[in-house]
Amino acid sequence: MSANCRRCPRLVVALSILIGGLTFAPLPGVLIPAQADDVMDAQQLVEKSRLAFEGFMANAELSGSLRALLPHAKAVLIYPQNFRLAFIFGGSGGSGVLLARDEKSNTWNGPAFYTLGQFSFGLQAGGDAATIVLVALTDRGLSALLSTSAKLGADASVALGPVGAGAEAATANLSADIVSYSEAKGLYAGSSVNGAVVATRGALNQAYYGKDLTPAAILVSREATNPHAAPLIAAVTRAASGR
């Protein structure tokens, strides 16, 4: 047996632990005491998401297409760092925040906290981190994201977001529930999130808002708000209004 093959079982175990930890979400209705670390993690994730989103909007390769979609978006899910690791068996995972638009008032609400996890198999090696932005364009896409756990491509269709020259015009032909974008090491391309699982992070939601809330309670019913999120909401609002 080759040295690479002997390492495979250990790599699979390591990947399982990594992705399992990143994608674990508490069961709905289970109260978990908000720890100081969770509060800090939630606040840092919101700030990182704001910076990542503003970075997307500042780049001409990405912003044209995003600006064309955002005025019609139901929600935006931002993952500032999605870690990918692969050696034959691969996986990726990260945490992010979801904001939803109230169509009546045309205002953005949130955030709610989420994970993203995905396994893969094939000829691959190495690891990196990517920023991912998912834009929900339909009620089906929004409903999938608001659920406790959803599989992209099954519970909601996903299309790769067009980038570069002509990207803004190409958005007119998109018919998916969710459009995905990613950036890694200066390369701008649609993120391959088909088959990935999106799940809520109940502990961070509870820590950030001080009580146990579902994503729908945060984003639709608006049962709680946090002034700390104002800069992130303002960034998404500016982009969606063309500013």
Side-chain angles (χ1 to χ4, degrees):
M1 182 182 292
S2 69
N4 284 345
C5 288
R6 286 196 298 271
R7 286 197 296 268
C8 284
R10 280 179 284 177
L11 284 168
V12 172
V13 171
L15 281 167
S16 299
I17 294 172
L18 170 66
I19 306 306
L22 286 167
T23 60
F24 173 80
L27 292 174
V30 177
L31 293 177
I32 299 176
Q35 301 294 326
D37 286 349
D38 286 337
V39 174
M40 182 175 295
D41 287 347
Q43 292 176 343
Q44 289 179 345
L45 183 55
V46 170
E47 179 62 13
K48 289 178 180 178
S49 297
R50 178 186 68 82
L51 294 172
F53 182 80
E54 290 179 341
F56 263 53
M57 300 313 300
N59 192 287
E61 292 291 312
L62 297 163
S63 63
S65 176
L66 270 172
R67 288 186 191 280
L69 290 179
L70 285 173
H72 314 288
K74 305 283 185 179
V76 175
L77 181 52
I78 307 163
Y79 291 98
Q81 281 188 308
N82 189 63
F83 296 98
R84 297 183 290 192
L85 181 64
F87 183 82
I88 301 178
F89 292 97
S92 63
S95 293
V97 299
L98 177 68
L99 283 79
R101 183 168 63 90
D102 184 324
E103 294 188 33
K104 292 182 179 178
S105 62
N106 198 32
T107 57
W108 289 83
N109 307 321
F113 295 85
Y114 283 77
T115 61
L116 179 72
Q118 184 176 26
F119 284 102
S120 59
F121 177 81
L123 297 177
Q124 51 189 335
D128 61 5
T131 298
I132 294 176
V133 173
L134 304 178
V135 182
L137 297 177
T138 67
D139 289 332
R140 182 170 183 256
L142 176 59
S143 295
L145 295 180
L146 289 177
S147 63
T148 303
S149 178
K151 186 173 183 180
L152 301 178
D155 298 315
S157 61
V158 183
L160 303 179
V163 298
E168 184 172 352
T171 59
N173 297 319
L174 293 174
S175 59
D177 297 311
I178 296 172
V179 178
S180 66
Y181 296 86
S182 71
E183 180 275 324
K185 297 181 179 179
L187 299 177
Y188 308 98
S191 174
S192 179
V193 295
N194 200 42
V197 175
V198 174
T200 60
R201 289 200 66 179
L204 292 194
N205 285 329
Q206 183 176 356
Y208 198 66
Y209 294 105
K211 54 183 176 179
D212 187 38
L213 294 168
T214 64
I218 297 168
L219 300 169
V220 180
S221 303
R222 301 186 67 181
E223 294 179 18
T225 59
N226 188 324
H228 173 267
L232 171 62
I233 294 173
V236 175
T237 300
R238 284 194 300 271
S241 61
R243 292 184 280 127

